[in-house]
Amino acid sequence: MNEDSPLAAEVAADFPTDDRESQDELLPQLVAHLREHRTKLRQEWAGRIQDAHLLHAMTPQEMAAETKSVYDNYVEVLETGSVEALQDYARDLSERIIPRGVETHEVVGIVLLLRDVLARSLFEKYQRDFSLLNRVLDAYEPAANRIANTVAVSFVDERERIIRQQQDAIRELSTPVLPVRERLLILPIIGVLDSERARQLTEQLLTGIRTHRAKVVVIDITGAPDVDETVANHLVQTVDASRLMGASVIITGLSPEIAQTLVTIGVDLSKMNTIGDLQGGLEEAEKLLGYTVSRQDGSAG
């Protein structure tokens, strides 16, 4: 193990000074043993994973490939103490298996099972010399525990990053700001409008107004099933913020239920220009922009 590595320093800190030399001598022996018997130990580990019903979202071929990689990386970290390399591998592993539906407890579970399988192998090898066995386990367990912790933390961090990325993508898809014609934007809202999404909606809309130099915005909430008091007030604030940026807002698609909610909670409807449907809202928007709407052929002049 590299004495300058973070893992080596942390493991060394767990031992009295007199024991560190012994520990440094034992770790290479442990690594050699685990490499010599890796085929047998990997098979035993894979059987334990199967018995524990972990990684069931992966095919047998995928599980075999990943367990081989995890085993080899695990032993390499025991030898080199390179936590950075392990973190990189854990992130790479997470990117591959999270989309397959592998959960955090499964990853933690398989690493702990590997730790146990290797510890049992060491026990069998050194059980006849109790004193040596204790030193072997004292050298192995702190490093193995930190490996398990590093993998778990890296997986959780990567999983949270991917989830945030997916949530942002879904929100952007569900609240698109669409330029219809010069100076006119439409913001169709589909699905549940909670406080977080309402905040993001405002940010996207104001950015769209600035980018497209919009003068009129039509917010269509036909696809929103419900609006609570917090979101309704946020909607009013969005209208006010849009006005400050020089854009008028027309709200279309108010359902009877949402309209009743707005009245009940006391929203100042005088601040909101509401039109029954999207078509009517677009016609009103074009009038505000100075376009002439022809009823004869249904086109705008």
Side-chain angles (χ1 to χ4, degrees):
M1 179 178 285
N2 180 0
E3 294 181 357
D4 295 329
S5 69
L7 183 57
E10 290 179 357
V11 172
D14 289 332
F15 295 88
T17 304
D18 295 341
D19 292 340
R20 291 179 190 172
E21 185 175 349
S22 174
Q23 174 214 1
D24 292 339
E25 294 173 353
L26 285 174
L27 278 173
Q29 296 180 36
L30 305 186
V31 169
H33 169 74
L34 299 178
R35 283 197 170 129
E36 179 184 355
H37 299 281
R38 59 183 170 184
T39 300
K40 173 180 176 295
L41 293 173
R42 279 204 310 260
Q43 291 174 347
E44 182 180 346
W45 179 39
R48 294 280 300 276
I49 292 174
Q50 188 174 12
D51 292 342
H53 304 291
L54 300 175
L55 303 184
H56 53 80
M58 301 174 66
T59 66
Q61 294 79 10
E62 289 171 332
M63 190 173 76
E66 294 299 350
T67 52
K68 180 179 182 299
S69 295
V70 171
Y71 185 99
D72 291 343
N73 274 272
Y74 192 103
V75 175
E76 182 178 349
V77 172
L78 282 176
E79 180 179 35
T80 66
S82 176
V83 174
E84 291 80 7
L86 180 63
Q87 289 171 332
D88 291 340
Y89 172 74
R91 283 191 291 268
D92 182 62
L93 173 66
S94 302
E95 289 179 356
R96 294 198 305 274
I97 66 177
I98 287 175
R100 301 304 307 273
V102 176
E103 300 291 340
T104 303
H105 77 273
E106 294 183 273
V107 172
V108 175
I110 67 171
V111 174
L112 293 180
L113 284 176
L114 178 57
R115 183 190 67 174
D116 183 61
V117 167
L118 300 188
R120 288 173 183 270
S121 176
L122 296 174
F123 179 82
E124 291 177 4
K125 179 177 176 62
Y126 296 103
Q127 61 180 323
R128 294 181 180 178
D129 187 334
F130 189 73
S131 176
L132 178 59
L133 174 62
N134 280 336
R135 297 205 309 275
V136 166
L137 294 179
D138 284 344
Y140 170 74
E141 289 184 348
N145 290 340
R146 288 186 176 88
I147 289 173
N149 182 66
T150 298
V151 171
V153 170
S154 298
F155 184 87
V156 170
D157 288 345
E158 182 64 18
R159 184 179 181 84
E160 290 179 349
R161 184 191 69 80
I162 291 175
I163 290 174
R164 287 194 301 269
Q165 198 174 54
Q166 291 172 340
Q167 289 175 336
D168 290 342
I170 290 172
R171 289 192 184 106
E172 288 178 4
L173 288 173
S174 60
T175 53
V177 179
L178 307 174
V180 178
R181 62 191 307 171
E182 188 178 1
R183 306 297 177 89
L184 173 58
L185 301 177
I186 293 181
L187 178 59
I189 300 174
I190 301 172
V192 177
L193 190 63
D194 56 18
S195 298
E196 174 60 24
R197 191 172 168 215
R199 180 193 62 77
Q200 187 188 41
L201 177 151
T202 301
E203 293 177 357
Q204 288 181 271
L205 180 57
L206 297 181
T207 299
I209 291 172
R210 183 179 64 248
T211 301
H212 298 283
R213 301 175 64 195
K215 291 298 182 183
V216 181
V217 177
V218 177
I219 300 178
D220 182 64
I221 61 175
T222 304
D226 193 17
V227 173
D228 62 18
E229 181 175 358
T230 301
V231 173
N233 288 325
H234 200 107
L235 202 56
V236 174
Q237 293 172 7
T238 300
V239 172
D240 290 339
S242 300
R243 283 177 179 160
L244 289 175
M245 295 191 67
S248 301
V249 178
I250 300 170
I251 301 204
T252 66
L254 281 174
S255 67
E257 293 78 15
I258 293 178
Q260 184 62 41
T261 298
L262 295 177
V263 171
T264 301
I265 65 180
V267 171
D268 186 0
L269 297 177
S270 65
K271 294 184 177 182
M272 304 174 70
N273 184 3
T274 60
I275 303 292
D277 57 25
L278 179 58
Q279 180 61 38
L282 290 175
E283 291 174 359
E284 177 65 19
E286 291 182 333
K287 289 178 183 178
L288 292 175
L289 289 170
Y291 295 104
T292 301
V293 178
S294 174
R295 287 288 184 179
Q296 292 180 349
D297 57 8
S299 62

